[in-house]
Amino acid sequence: MADQDRRNTETFTLTNNATGEEFELPVLEGSVGPKVIDVRRLYAETGYFTYDPGFTSTGSCESNITYIDGDEGILLYRGYPIADLAEYSDYTEICYLLLYGDLPNNEQKEKFDFDITYHTMLHEQLIQFYRGFRRDSHPMAIMCGVVGALSAFYHDSLDISDPWHRMVASYRTIAKIPTIAAQAYKYSIGQPFIYPRNDLSYAENFLYMMFSTPAEPYEISPILARAMDRTLILHADHEQNASTSTVRLAGSSGANPFACIAAGIASLWGPAHGGANEAVLNMLQEIGDKKNIPEFIKKAKDKDDPFRLMGFGHRVYKNFDPRARVMQESCHEVLGELGVTNEPLLELAIELERIALEDEYFVERKLYPNVDFYSGIIFRAMGIPVSMFTVLFAVARTVGWIAQWNEMVEDPNQKIGRPRQLYLGETERPYVALDKRG
Ligand code: CMC
């Protein structure tokens, strides 16, 4: 779309109080959501930058993929509400939707599933790569390394100016990521790697590669496969979050997609982002008992204490996280299927949620449970070790990263990402020779 088409009749006038100079800024309007003040010409025409650490008021790109209204608790993938997608769709359909913009018809779905399925195996030599890691490595560390290494193995899809290369690299990444993740897990527990099976769905295959062994047949529970599929759907994309922005920033220099996704995985690892699901479970274990909740709530409110209630709060959702609602339902289904009637950690989580939601500190700041508050409990019930929680998030988010990367590469307005700064360091000073320094 041309700039002119997005331009609103509104403008913003900036007045410099020192000089009296005025500068008019255009306002752009998307299909839905807040209007945007276009500051692109600001520096060239006024000599001033904007300052916005954490990008709390800054849009970095145009996008057609995902829309969030944090006040209303709305999350749409290509216009479809997340709750409907979680209820009626499946993960590969979501992958198609995010990549191509529309839901597939039968034929398109069949072909897409076939293409993804037939890219799930890894280059045999890549499998040797795992042996370079210590057995006790965190699986996210292995993920960063192995995904980054894909660019050393798949040279034939690295020309980002070629749409065919971009598509092959996209399919490969989406298809291989569960295999890479499952092998990272198998490596950490010393079990043989399990090769993917083409007769299984994406979620079934992932469970199969993680939990089966060559020694005995592994039966995949349809309820657990559905819960895994739903978890993948809920985490598939989330507009310009830290890891997605990292992928876009890395890609803005023309870096290859595998390297960009590895950068996204590294960014996701932090406890304020994808690492939160692991941190929630560690926190619940540390709290240990309902009677200790008030002490931890007190710590979370204490500004001198770095502790935060993990799984609470979100940069964008200031009402509720729509993903958390679906996740909470799924959590009860999974525990029911597994016959877990009194999971002490779930009871602890529910009590923690109740107490926090009644506390003035959390109410005032609109801090609600986010998606990660419940996902950890589901993963634990499924037998997934805590260190794999963020890996699961990375598997799910890979399609979002790759869809956003493709959108960026195809965007005619795309430029290398290069933020500016407010410099507070020393001004220019003369070099002092070593023997003259005090
Ligand atoms: N526990 C206690 N206080 C909190 C928390 C929390 N979890 N989250 C925010 N606050 C307070 C914060 O101290 C600040 O208080 P004040 O206004 O008095 O200084 C206020 O709430 C606003 O917080 P903020 O840090 O300005 O908010 P943010 O938008 O920068 O941070 C967040 C968002 C998700 C990083 C943060 O809420 C947090 O660290 N939550 C815990 C980690 C977590 O669960 N992350 C998963 C996010 S969902 C999955 C994903 O998309 O990655």
Side-chain angles (χ1 to χ4, degrees):
M1 200 190 261
D3 278 5
Q4 207 57 39
D5 302 334
R6 285 167 284 124
R7 212 166 264 190
N8 196 277
T9 46
E10 260 176 75
T11 54
F12 250 76
T13 306
L14 279 183
T15 307
N16 184 327
N17 290 332
T19 63
E21 274 174 307
E22 286 192 345
F23 181 68
E24 202 162 80
L25 294 162
V27 170
L28 306 179
E29 195 167 357
S31 45
V32 59
K35 292 171 194 163
V36 169
I37 303 169
D38 181 351
V39 295
R40 279 174 292 181
R41 286 171 28 248
L42 188 69
Y43 175 61
E45 296 190 13
T46 67
Y48 288 84
F49 295 135
T50 55
Y51 177 61
D52 184 18
F55 309 121
T56 52
S57 298
T58 298
S60 60
C61 61
E62 288 176 7
S63 184
N64 295 316
I65 302 176
T66 293
Y67 174 72
I68 302 175
D69 181 332
D71 295 320
E72 297 297 324
I74 293 172
L75 167 60
L76 310 175
Y77 292 164
R78 301 283 191 182
Y80 296 101
I82 190 66
D84 289 353
L85 295 173
E87 178 81 27
Y88 305 116
S89 191
D90 69 38
Y91 183 67
T92 51
E93 183 169 88
I94 299 301
C95 293
Y96 186 98
L97 175 68
L98 291 172
L99 283 177
Y100 292 108
D102 282 307
L103 289 167
N105 61 27
N106 266 329
E107 202 184 314
Q108 289 163 329
K109 170 87 165 77
E110 220 170 276
K111 171 153 183 4
F112 185 73
D113 282 353
F114 177 90
D115 289 342
I116 292 295
T117 305
Y118 281 83
H119 279 97
T120 48
M121 286 207 316
L122 297 184
H123 189 292
E124 199 59 20
Q125 207 175 326
L126 189 60
I127 294 173
Q128 308 303 321
F129 196 81
Y130 285 83
R131 298 193 196 288
F133 291 99
R134 285 169 54 133
R135 288 273 174 195
D136 59 356
S137 306
H138 194 288
M140 279 299 276
I142 300 183
M143 293 296 287
C144 293
V146 177
V147 173
L150 289 176
S151 41
F153 286 85
Y154 299 103
H155 299 279
D156 57 341
S157 56
L158 295 184
D159 178 1
I160 67 159
S161 65
D162 181 333
W164 173 256
H165 278 225
R166 291 203 297 274
M167 193 192 69
V168 173
S170 302
Y171 280 40
R172 277 181 172 152
T173 319
I174 296 166
K176 292 180 198 309
I177 199 89
T179 317
I180 294 173
Q183 295 194 346
Y185 172 53
K186 287 297 197 192
Y187 184 75
S188 72
I189 56 171
Q191 284 188 4
F193 293 158
I194 300 294
Y195 288 85
R197 258 177 51 191
N198 287 353
D199 60 325
L200 299 177
S201 74
Y202 195 91
E204 287 170 339
N205 211 6
F206 188 29
L207 288 171
Y208 166 76
M209 288 188 288
M210 269 197 298
F211 294 122
S212 72
T213 66
E216 56 188 8
Y218 170 71
E219 273 202 29
I220 304 160
S221 147
I223 301 248
L224 295 194
R226 178 73 190 123
M228 174 59 79
D229 197 70
R230 233 182 220 184
T231 305
L232 296 173
I233 293 174
L234 293 177
H235 288 87
D237 194 46
H238 215 226
E239 55 121 297
Q240 307 312 318
N241 55 82
S243 56
T244 303
S245 300
T246 302
V247 170
R248 280 186 178 256
L249 194 57
S252 75
S253 69
N256 75 68
F258 303 119
C260 297
I261 302 299
I265 292 174
S267 167
L268 186 77
W269 195 356
H273 191 9
N277 51 16
E278 179 173 342
V280 169
L281 217 83
N282 290 335
M283 175 189 76
L284 290 174
Q285 272 160 345
E286 202 188 330
I287 297 175
D289 193 284
K290 285 185 197 170
K291 71 175 190 319
N292 301 327
I293 292 177
E295 181 199 327
F296 280 84
I297 296 266
K298 199 168 153 215
K299 269 163 75 66
K301 293 177 353 185
D302 180 356
K303 293 291 165 213
D304 297 325
D305 190 324
F307 175 77
R308 280 187 165 197
L309 219 50
M310 289 320 220
F312 269 77
H314 197 275
R315 168 61 62 79
V316 183
Y317 295 121
K318 301 298 176 196
N319 184 333
F320 67 94
D321 179 341
R323 303 167 301 170
R325 286 209 172 148
V326 182
M327 209 45 124
Q328 191 185 21
E329 261 174 45
S330 224
C331 189
H332 288 291
E333 265 178 41
V334 168
L335 295 180
E337 157 76 3
L338 295 169
V340 182
T341 45
N342 60 340
E343 160 62 272
L345 283 190
L346 179 63
E347 284 177 18
L348 191 59
I350 291 170
E351 185 62 2
L352 180 64
E353 181 183 1
R354 189 188 66 75
I355 295 180
L357 291 182
E358 284 173 1
D359 192 293
E360 207 179 310
Y361 173 96
F362 290 89
V363 175
E364 251 176 26
R365 289 168 180 76
K366 301 184 174 172
L367 300 170
Y368 293 88
N370 57 49
V371 66
D372 288 326
F373 191 68
Y374 283 102
S375 60
I377 296 166
I378 299 190
F379 295 158
R380 186 181 128 103
M382 284 176 162
I384 296 167
V386 176
S387 63
M388 280 294 288
F389 288 4
T390 312
V391 174
L392 262 82
F393 194 158
V395 169
R397 184 57 57 84
T398 292
V399 66
W401 292 328
I402 209 81
Q404 300 265 355
W405 173 83
N406 274 295
E407 184 177 65
M408 182 203 63
V409 174
E410 287 162 19
D411 182 351
N413 289 327
Q414 189 266 326
K415 282 181 181 324
I416 185 167
R418 176 53 171 96
R420 305 304 292 253
Q421 62 174 8
L422 176 63
Y423 178 69
L424 299 174
E426 297 288 348
T427 53
E428 186 171 328
R429 50 182 172 164
Y431 178 80
V432 180
L434 184 56
D435 60 350
K436 302 249 165 39
R437 287 174 222 158

